[in-house]
Amino acid sequence: MKITNQIIENHGLKASEFENIKKLLKRDPNLLELGIFSAMWNEHCSYKSSRLHLKKLYTKGKQVIQGPGENAGVIDIGDNDAIVFKIESHNHPSYIEPYQGAATGVGGILRDVFTMGARPIALLNSIHFGSPSHPKTKSLLNGVVSGIGGYGNCIGIPTVAGETKFDETYNENKLVNAMAVGLAKKDKIFYSKAKGINKSVVYVGSKTGRDGIHGASMASAEFDENTEDKKPTVQVGDPFTEKLLMEACLELMKDNSIISIQDMGAAGLTSSSVEMASKGSLGMELDLDKVPCREKNMTPYEMMLSESQERMLLILEDDKEKDAKKIFDKWDLDFMVIGKTTNTNNLTLKFNGKIEGEIPIEALASKAPIYDRKWVRKKISKNKINLKDLKKINMEEALVKILSSPNHSNKSWITNQYDQSVMCDTAQKSGSDAAIIRIHGKDKAIAVSVDSSANYCKSHPLTGGKQIVCENWRNLITAGAKPLAITNCLNFGNPENENIMGEFAECLEGIREACEFLNYPVVSGNVSFYNGTNQKNINPTPVIGGVGLINKLSKPISHNFKKDKNIIILVGKTFGHLEQSCFLRENYRIFDGMPPDINLLNEKNNGENVLKLIQNKLILSSHDISDGGLILALCEMSISSSYGAIIKKPQKLTNLLEYFFGEDQGRYLLEVEPSNLTKVEKSLKDSNIYYENIGFTQKDYFEIEGELKINIKDLFKINNEWYNNY
């Protein structure tokens, strides 16, 4: 078949890239080879627009066993235990086919984790939808939530935390980011690097079908009016088969049979074989006649590009095939030796006794394009918001508006669809700042959280990047955990647009700066570009997933008030920053201005000392202050308990709206028993930390002296109002 310009374009390749392919091959590619280049050179697999910037991230630390570059990151939590975790996007598939897109996103991230030798112990997610009034939002929301719950519940992994947000920027491009966390032994981590010549390359799992072909390429392009035509590119998942595959792989990992292992995710058999061979500086020869297929007359092109789910590629030690096959037979899974490693440094594909394709491995991997795209810094907004210029609103009105809004209303109607307790190690479910998972059979635990802040990142990407790392760090602190490392999912628009590329570069700069200062390294992640439709792009939405360690878990600390007449301490200074606040968004539809400043020294000092207070059992409850400011944080602590609060008016900041709704960073709320107040205050003073005694807990009512008084039951009703009417 002659390769035409239209065929090249249909494969998502530019004319210049095609010319480069010809130079690398020293000839024209055939259709199979073109398809393979298309899969490996697309944005999703090659990171061609982001690689230069990703190299700048802070990825080191004594706790890091494996950083970026493998299926997932690995950190040391002591006692020969390791945590394996990663977050990835499944944005494009989930918009086209919400249920299967979300479900296979969960399945894919789980494989990334158990491929490393870890048993998955928790799932998290970050999902963003368009305006609730948009005609597609309700069906997309229902489909995605059902897909996440359906897959996770069936495979038996608890979905313990996440976030759901709404904004019109996602009307035509919603985001579905899935995170998985697993537990492994430090000395039993498995990697994807191929080793040795003439080693058996083994296909295991489900059979290959025609679903998901060109899925990776689809995820590397903007949508247009023909979006619905891309449904065949969406994979179809089977959680029951994934469960069998997980158990079979973990069983095989108990001996010394596996040299390397790689899941068949984006680009399927193509990416798994190329990545394994590339990392080992080897070649690989595949006999495609031996690939288990569930459909008749599949071509080499279809087999190599299919993204059928629940499949793995293994390289085994000599004479281990027979014993390995017994395990996969027991679990009723396909097991087939389909090739071998070679010293040719080529990917050689045979079919019907003929060589159908032969490509240098380095041409697909190390020599894939790397673009240093033009980018510009965000111009600093000079629009200053003056409350005096706005329509007057009283505090209760403003609070009700926020509490009843889609983004701040109770989300239990979502989380109740997820099994949060299966495996019986969930010590704290979603609803607090972070979920807590016990390390089975031990007294230690991990805390996990996911966070994003698209509004801050849009207004000032550098500050927004720093902020979202700090917020995630604070969420782990309030759970009593020492933050150890993060994974990130970087969701942006078209990188060929210099403004959007600027948002990406500056956000990464902010993430790097915060991670390095806090010693909070990035160990894994994912970049999702081209989240746009007809040249209308989403707001920059980096998502941070964090993991922290609790050395001794007695009783988990949560954010709900515990007792009557306890002291409420506000840690950190309040300046009353309202620009980019949800107060202005929800009450005035104002989106101008700069996000609040990030003082990394204060973040570190305040957080480390709050953690010390929690570890010394001087704090009954804790909550970080972020979106919505002080008043929303107080209401969340009240709604989740049977206790409210009575809060004093501030003495130094006279504008009450600024004080209570301002979103100044680095702040915490602490509930302290009167008997421990002296110790707490001394600890804060000794560390030169600013704090205020702002009030105390009380029964039944949330109250700000002289301004408002609301029954906790009424607050709860207000907080549930949006969903009940949606």
Side-chain angles (χ1 to χ4, degrees), residues 58-202:
Y58 178 71
T59 60
K60 304 192 183 296
K62 62 179 183 180
Q63 68 272 42
V64 178
I65 297 172
Q66 175 63 54
E70 265 293 343
N71 287 294
V74 187
I75 56 174
D76 189 348
I77 60 167
D79 307 316
N80 198 36
D81 291 325
I83 293 296
V84 180
F85 66 108
K86 188 181 183 183
I87 190 169
E88 275 199 340
S89 63
H90 231 220
N91 302 333
H92 290 66
S94 299
Y95 186 80
I96 297 169
E97 216 298 301
Y99 184 94
Q100 289 295 347
T104 53
V106 173
I109 199 63
L110 284 171
R111 289 195 300 279
D112 281 339
V113 165
F114 71 74
T115 298
M116 301 288 293
R119 178 170 291 280
I121 58 174
L123 287 163
L124 302 87
N125 57 75
S126 173
I127 51 181
H128 293 67
F129 298 91
S131 168
S133 61
H134 192 274
K136 291 184 180 180
T137 296
K138 188 176 286 188
S139 63
L140 291 173
L141 175 64
N142 288 334
V144 166
V145 171
S146 297
I148 291 171
Y151 206 100
N153 294 352
C154 286
I155 200 171
I157 311 295
T159 301
V160 297
E163 60 174 7
T164 303
K165 295 186 176 182
F166 300 89
D167 191 277
E168 62 186 19
T169 188
Y170 310 107
N171 278 349
E172 304 298 332
N173 288 86
K174 72 170 180 300
L175 304 182
V176 177
N177 294 181
M179 177 176 169
V181 182
L183 177 65
K185 289 299 176 185
K186 184 180 170 181
D187 57 357
K188 291 290 284 185
I189 305 296
F190 291 80
Y191 300 94
S192 58
K193 181 180 179 180
K195 296 178 184 178
I197 307 299
N198 288 321
K199 302 295 184 182
S200 294
V201 177
V202 184

Side-chain angles (χ1 to χ4, degrees), residues 240-251:
F240 300 105
T241 300
E242 178 112 337
K243 171 68 172 175
L244 301 178
L245 180 62
M246 178 178 72
E247 297 299 342
C249 288
L250 292 175
E251 183 175 342

Side-chain angles (χ1 to χ4, degrees), residues 92-101 104 136 139-140 174 210-215 218 223 226-236 307:
H92 290 66
S94 299
Y95 186 80
I96 297 169
E97 216 298 301
Y99 184 94
Q100 289 295 347
T104 53
K136 291 184 180 180
S139 63
L140 291 173
K174 72 170 180 300
R210 290 187 170 95
D211 56 313
I213 294 174
H214 292 303
M218 173 271 292
F223 286 152
N226 300 314
T227 298
E228 291 296 314
D229 296 341
K230 298 180 180 182
K231 278 193 175 183
T233 64
V234 180
Q235 311 91 333
V236 178
E307 294 184 10

Side-chain angles (χ1 to χ4, degrees), residues 406-558:
N407 281 320
H408 300 96
S409 64
N410 190 325
K411 300 295 193 306
S412 59
W413 55 276
I414 292 177
T415 58
N416 288 342
Q417 297 182 56
Y418 307 147
D419 191 333
Q420 300 181 65
S421 302
V422 64
M423 299 175 70
C424 301
D425 284 320
T426 306
Q428 184 163 279
K429 303 176 184 178
S430 61
S432 284
D433 293 328
I436 298 174
I437 312 297
R438 295 184 189 87
I439 302 303
H440 194 75
K442 300 183 180 181
D443 61 354
K444 64 183 178 182
I446 59 168
V448 290
S449 180
V450 292
D451 300 280
S452 63
S453 185
N455 291 304
Y456 288 176
C457 291
K458 180 66 177 177
S459 63
H460 197 252
L462 178 65
T463 302
K466 287 192 283 188
Q467 187 275 336
I468 197 58
V469 172
C470 292
E471 183 177 346
N472 185 267
W473 195 77
R474 291 196 301 270
N475 284 337
L476 300 184
I477 294 285
T478 61
K482 180 183 178 181
L484 293 181
I486 68 168
T487 180
N488 58 44
C489 195
L490 307 171
N491 307 279
F492 290 80
N494 190 333
E496 298 167 53
N497 180 313
E498 64 182 15
N499 292 303
I500 290 169
M501 197 63 207
E503 292 172 348
F504 178 81
E506 288 199 85
C507 274
L508 243 67
E509 192 177 330
I511 291 170
R512 181 207 59 77
E513 189 176 333
C515 286
E516 187 169 2
F517 196 93
L518 298 173
N519 187 26
Y520 198 29
V522 180
V523 297
S524 60
N526 171 235
V527 178
S528 176
F529 277 136
Y530 296 99
N531 291 288
T533 297
N534 292 325
Q535 300 182 353
K536 187 176 181 180
N537 296 280
I538 65 164
N539 285 344
T541 313
V543 176
I544 302 295
V547 176
L549 177 64
I550 303 172
N551 278 314
K552 289 189 178 182
L553 181 69
S554 51
K555 186 178 181 181
I557 187 167
S558 60

Side-chain angles (χ1 to χ4, degrees), residues 242-297:
E242 178 112 337
K243 171 68 172 175
L244 301 178
L245 180 62
M246 178 178 72
E247 297 299 342
C249 288
L250 292 175
E251 183 175 342
L252 182 61
M253 288 168 172
K254 291 178 181 178
D255 64 22
N256 296 314
S257 299
I258 297 175
I259 295 174
S260 63
I261 179 169
Q262 177 75 37
D263 84 291
M264 295 190 212
L269 185 54
T270 289
S271 64
S272 56
S273 57
V274 171
E275 287 174 17
M276 294 171 89
S278 172
K279 289 175 181 177
S281 299
L282 297 172
M284 190 173 290
E285 182 181 295
L286 302 180
D287 185 349
L288 300 182
D289 291 295
K290 295 180 179 179
V291 172
C293 295
R294 65 169 180 258
E295 300 183 48
K296 293 181 179 179
N297 302 317

